[in-house]
Amino acid sequence: MLGPRLRIALAVIILVGGTVAAFAPALRAGWQWDDDDYVTRNDALQSIAGLKRIWTTLGATPQYYPLVFTTFWLEHHAWGDDPRGYHAVNVALHAANVVLLFALLSGLKLPGAFWCALLFAIHPVQVETVAWVTERKNLLSTFFYLLAALAYLRFDHRGRAGWYLLALVLFVAALLSKTTACTLPAAILLVVWWRDSRVGLRHWLAAVPMFAIGLAMGIVTAHVERSVVLELAAPTDIAGLGRLERLLIAGRALWFYAAKLVWPTNLAFCYERWHVDRHAAAWYLPTMAAIAVLTLLVAMRCRLGRGPAAAVLFFAVTLLPALGFVDIETMRYTFVADHYQYLACVGLFALAASGLGAVAATHRVGACLVGAAVCVALGVLSFRQASLYRDRQTLWTDTLDKNPQCCLAMRLLAREYDSVGEHDEADELRRRCLEIDPSYAEAAYDLGHSLAVRGETSEAIKALYQAVEANPKHFLAQSDLAALLTGTGSPATALVHFRAALATNPRSAVTYRNMVYALVALRRRDEALAAIDQALELEPENEDFRQIRDELESQPPTTRDR
């Protein structure tokens, strides 16, 4: 018989080995969707000044998660834009989270703690988080979340304030990695209720500062999402969703996530976006059923035990920030995503593992064989799913196979076609995308830009007009449209779009430079000089700008200027 330490060591070896084996293809994966914004084209990663902006300036990065971008900063200076290093760190963080979860559940004496950790380690729904570099925020936040939970349990056991202060510091670190960690105090109270049957005053008082810190960080994140991300996005129906529609989405999402855990097939990077109909009775059934199940489990806690209720409540509470009650940018494309339940799935995994642990008490060999078979099957599915992340074209093609109406995948796959010179195929995808969603400003801009590069100016102008009508704050569409209008003899109209572009991005030196030509065509030399001065102020070393200014100064003032 193995001693306790050897058993723990063997369990850790299996957990880490299984994690690495299941996600081995992720180590060779490439960049995906917004990895460019987060890493490869992120100016904040270039210098010490950028590192300072990561921490002190809202909007310096796509989201205010400074710990995440600090890790990217360090990695950028270690291995540049080679994706392999970033993916290796992601896999390592996931393995660390698996071990921490095992330690936490073992400390709570949860039956089947090993099986729960193994399910968490190798389940296919985890692939999106592990194989997508941008989701470092999920991994890092969970890492600090679990450490904070372990520190809190030490405080709860020993009553020493030092452990509580450490838990608070780690909780803040989790929030600075991703704000969804704000559910930790609620999860702690759930665990206390499961363990002790009641939550004492001491636990409520300990939770208050955590709730306050979580709320404060949530307000900051909501501000950044609203003022930086959604403010510049095209108008959508997100803000128009009423409370009832959001409740219906949440109910359906809960069942969607649970179903993917039970039967993880047809996993997609972007699922079909539901069309909510408050007048259809079928839309009310998932929410009513979810409320009924939660109520029943709590009501039957004396007969079933508090475990099932606590597990399901943890699942629901941890998913709460991603259920649609708060506007997030990805709701433009879908209401659900695998990475949203990276941590929440622990609740249902714990419930399943506890059941397996109970069976193992009387049928040890049979339970272990069943558990092993299920985990091997899940590991194989994860390996296959992770293989889809080897490059963008593979991932977007797979997404369209599973969600043929996905405009996001069409637009991004079109960019991949462009990168290999297949421009006709790319433009055909964009046109198909705009047939599905004529208000998709990004696709209209991409089409307009592609046509302009190929010299089809009139068609490019039409597409760019469609883009700015869909989203007047689309800086590139406004700027490119203005440049084309200047070149086709419509400088007055161009000037309107140049000013609209600069209202969105007043620090674009190239836009000021291009606006000079429209002003010259309108015989407004003084305004043209002012525009090139603005460009030089932004880029004082630009010789092209200086030459343009010298040429303007050498010209006599126009009648209009005098």
Side-chain angles (χ1 to χ4, degrees):
M1 293 291 291
L2 295 175
R5 290 186 177 180
L6 282 177
R7 283 202 300 271
I8 291 172
L10 180 60
V12 169
I13 290 170
I14 293 172
L15 290 171
V16 173
T19 299
V20 174
F23 294 99
L27 296 170
R28 302 184 298 275
W31 300 111
Q32 299 302 339
W33 184 16
D34 52 359
D35 287 343
D36 291 335
D37 294 332
Y38 275 71
V39 182
T40 61
R41 291 202 304 262
N42 188 345
D43 292 338
L45 306 186
Q46 306 297 321
S47 63
I48 292 292
L51 181 60
K52 181 181 178 182
R53 292 204 317 273
I54 285 171
W55 284 90
T56 61
T57 306
L58 296 180
T61 52
Q63 292 174 302
Y64 185 69
Y65 295 144
L67 271 177
V68 172
F69 288 100
T70 298
T71 67
F72 289 153
W73 190 93
L74 292 169
E75 290 171 78
H76 174 77
H77 289 271
W79 41 71
D81 290 342
D82 187 340
R84 291 174 297 179
Y86 299 88
H87 285 295
V89 172
N90 269 23
V91 173
L93 273 172
H94 181 53
N97 290 341
V98 170
V99 174
L100 288 173
L101 179 64
F102 176 58
L104 179 63
L105 298 179
S106 298
L108 290 170
K109 296 181 171 50
L110 180 82
F114 168 78
W115 291 109
C116 179
L118 188 56
L119 286 171
F120 175 79
I122 49 83
H123 198 283
V125 299
Q126 309 293 50
V127 170
E128 188 170 284
T129 291
V130 179
W132 181 11
V133 171
T134 291
E135 281 311 310
R136 171 72 56 80
K137 52 195 175 184
N138 236 8
L139 294 161
L140 198 62
S141 177
T142 300
F143 177 75
F144 289 116
Y145 178 107
L146 294 171
L147 284 174
L150 283 166
Y152 183 91
L153 288 179
R154 286 292 184 94
F155 157 72
D156 190 38
H157 178 65
R158 299 185 179 181
R160 294 180 181 174
W163 284 109
Y164 178 72
L165 291 175
L166 178 60
L168 278 182
V169 170
L170 291 168
F171 177 53
V172 171
L175 291 170
L176 291 174
S177 302
K178 192 173 185 179
T179 319
T180 50
C182 65
T183 58
L184 175 61
I188 288 173
L189 294 178
L190 271 174
V191 169
V192 170
W193 174 74
W194 164 70
R195 186 191 62 191
D196 302 338
S197 79
R198 61 184 294 274
V199 180
L201 179 61
R202 180 168 67 96
H203 295 106
W204 283 111
L205 291 175
V208 168
M210 301 181 83
F211 278 118
I213 294 169
L215 178 61
M217 189 60 191
I219 291 171
V220 171
T221 302
H223 169 73
V224 173
E225 190 79 17
R226 185 172 55 253
S227 62
V228 177
V229 181
L230 291 174
E231 175 68 17
L232 298 180
T236 66
D237 60 349
I238 296 176
L241 291 171
R243 293 179 182 176
L244 177 58
E245 283 83 1
R246 292 172 188 269
L247 183 63
L248 299 179
I249 289 169
R252 182 166 177 176
L254 284 170
W255 290 106
F256 175 90
Y257 289 124
K260 289 299 180 185
L261 294 180
V262 175
W263 196 252
T265 58
N266 291 318
L267 300 181
F269 187 89
C270 185
Y271 294 100
E272 179 185 359
R273 191 175 189 266
W274 305 322
H275 299 286
V276 189
D277 183 1
R278 61 159 59 195
H279 303 295
W283 261 98
Y284 290 80
L285 295 178
T287 300
M288 293 170 63
I291 294 171
V293 167
L294 288 170
T295 303
L296 187 63
L297 289 174
V298 172
M300 296 186 67
R301 63 189 182 278
C302 294
R303 179 175 297 182
L304 299 176
R306 293 180 299 278
V312 174
L313 282 169
F314 175 87
F315 175 70
V317 167
T318 308
L319 273 172
L320 190 62
L323 289 180
F325 295 110
V326 179
D327 293 342
I328 51 179
E329 198 263 344
T330 51
M331 288 172 64
R332 299 170 62 199
Y333 310 108
T334 181
F335 293 123
V336 289
D338 290 341
H339 68 273
Y340 291 158
Q341 66 165 329
Y342 175 73
L343 177 60
C345 64
V346 170
L348 298 192
F349 287 160
L351 188 58
S354 296
L356 187 64
V359 173
T362 54
H363 302 84
R364 186 177 184 83
V365 175
C368 288
L369 288 175
V370 170
V374 169
C375 288
V376 168
L378 291 174
V380 170
L381 289 176
S382 291
F383 188 94
R384 291 174 57 188
Q385 187 70 14
S387 300
L388 298 174
Y389 286 75
R390 61 178 173 267
D391 56 59
R392 288 171 164 139
Q393 184 166 340
T394 301
L395 184 62
W396 300 129
T397 301
D398 176 77
T399 302
L400 281 174
D401 287 342
K402 295 167 180 173
N403 181 8
Q405 302 296 304
C406 182
C407 288
L408 173 67
M410 289 180 200
R411 177 172 67 91
L412 296 175
L413 181 58
R415 289 186 175 182
E416 296 309 301
Y417 284 151
D418 271 336
S419 69
V420 295
E422 298 177 3
H423 304 298
D424 290 336
E425 292 83 351
D427 288 348
E428 180 58 33
L429 264 180
R430 291 172 183 130
R431 289 189 176 95
R432 187 172 130 209
C433 174
L434 289 169
E435 287 176 5
I436 296 170
D437 184 3
S439 67
Y440 195 6
E442 289 91 340
Y445 166 73
D446 286 352
L447 178 60
H449 180 75
S450 174
L451 293 169
V453 169
R454 296 162 67 185
E456 300 180 37
T457 305
S458 61
E459 290 301 311
I461 288 174
K462 289 180 183 177
L464 291 172
Y465 264 123
Q466 184 175 355
V468 300
E469 286 172 8
N471 182 11
K473 294 181 180 179
H474 197 300
F475 161 71
L476 290 174
Q478 293 280 17
S479 185
D480 285 10
L481 176 59
L484 288 178
L485 289 171
T486 302
T488 54
S490 302
T493 307
L495 197 57
V496 173
H497 294 286
F498 275 128
R499 286 174 173 157
L502 290 168
T504 300
N505 182 8
R507 299 192 59 79
S508 172
V510 172
T511 302
Y512 279 111
R513 189 274 310 274
N514 290 341
M515 189 166 68
V516 167
Y517 301 112
L519 290 166
V520 168
L522 292 167
R523 300 174 62 80
R524 292 157 71 167
R525 174 178 169 274
D526 288 350
E527 289 181 55
L529 279 168
I532 201 64
D533 283 342
Q534 287 280 2
L536 278 166
E537 184 178 329
L538 293 166
E539 295 184 15
E541 304 301 321
N542 193 308
E543 291 301 323
D544 177 44
F545 294 173
R546 291 188 181 280
Q547 184 178 347
I548 293 171
R549 196 185 197 292
D550 291 342
E551 291 174 359
L552 285 171
E553 284 187 323
S554 67
Q555 298 172 5
T558 62
T559 303
R560 181 162 188 168
D561 288 325
R562 289 197 297 266

